[in-house]
Amino acid sequence: APWLTGFVWLLAAAGLAVAATEGPAGLLSAVPLATLAYMGWWLAWYPAVVVSDREVTLRNPLATISVPWAALVTVDTRYALTLVTPRRKYTAWAAPAPGIIGVHRARPEHATGLPETTYGPAASIRPGDLTSSDSGAAAYRVRRRWAELLAAGSVEPGSAGSVRVRVRPNWALIGAAAVLLAAAGAVVLA
């Protein structure tokens, strides 16, 4: 995400610098570049998985999801980091499972020393659990903290059904994207 966002911003900055030399009309034509920079930030840099003492927060482009530890049933990494609760599954935009290249680059140490809940039959793990991947690194942190809280008695097993998950739409970010896309569309079509 940092490399992609940095590349997009660099491209947009270069375009804005050229557009600024053309005066006000040039700046108007730079709106699509500003939109590109915003979209790069919103879709690649903004998403995150935040692990705290109270909850796991998935900061996705369209919504921010706060899953309290007591609501968590399991952690899955089949396609991306997914937090499973009794009512629903919540997927992290910021933590996709690795592709074939990521799997081939994995080393044995990326599959050892993981929390106990990571391993399946015969100590198997999914490619998404490799700590060298985005999903695996995030899952490792989530599972490790969850295990610590369970061991300390801070989270009561079996209480997941009574705990509420908060889903907050990111209206301001969505609105900014809509305005920028509409403005860019108007400039391109004009």
Side-chain angles (χ1 to χ4, degrees), residues 68-117:
W69 291 109
L72 198 56
V73 173
T74 192
V75 177
D76 188 22
T77 59
R78 185 172 183 180
Y79 301 112
L81 172 72
T82 303
L83 304 179
V84 180
T85 68
R87 292 183 184 94
R88 194 165 166 209
K89 296 178 181 181
Y90 301 96
T91 302
W93 181 281
I100 193 149
I101 293 172
V103 172
H104 285 295
R105 288 186 179 169
R107 297 188 304 249
E109 58 266 20
H110 297 149
T112 57
L114 303 173
E116 188 178 309
T117 57

Side-chain angles (χ1 to χ4, degrees), residues 23-39:
L27 288 178
L28 184 60
S29 68
V31 170
L33 294 171
T35 303
L36 181 67
Y38 177 80
M39 297 304 284

Side-chain angles (χ1 to χ4, degrees), residues 17-155:
V18 170
T21 62
E22 297 174 15
L27 288 178
L28 184 60
S29 68
V31 170
L33 294 171
T35 303
L36 181 67
Y38 177 80
M39 297 304 284
W41 170 82
W42 185 42
L43 299 175
W45 186 278
Y46 175 76
V49 176
V50 181
V51 177
S52 71
D53 288 337
R54 290 186 41 214
E55 62 198 8
V56 179
T57 302
L58 306 180
R59 210 171 62 194
N60 291 339
L62 299 179
T64 298
I65 303 146
S66 299
V67 180
W69 291 109
L72 198 56
V73 173
T74 192
V75 177
D76 188 22
T77 59
R78 185 172 183 180
Y79 301 112
L81 172 72
T82 303
L83 304 179
V84 180
T85 68
R87 292 183 184 94
R88 194 165 166 209
K89 296 178 181 181
Y90 301 96
T91 302
W93 181 281
I100 193 149
I101 293 172
V103 172
H104 285 295
R105 288 186 179 169
R107 297 188 304 249
E109 58 266 20
H110 297 149
T112 57
L114 303 173
E116 188 178 309
T117 57
T118 306
Y119 298 101
S124 64
I125 65 167
R126 285 190 164 152
D129 287 321
L130 296 166
T131 56
S132 58
S133 69
D134 292 333
S135 61
Y140 174 78
R141 287 178 182 85
V142 169
R143 288 177 176 137
R144 187 183 67 198
R145 185 64 187 137
W146 190 27
E148 290 169 356
L149 292 168
L150 285 168
S154 301
V155 174

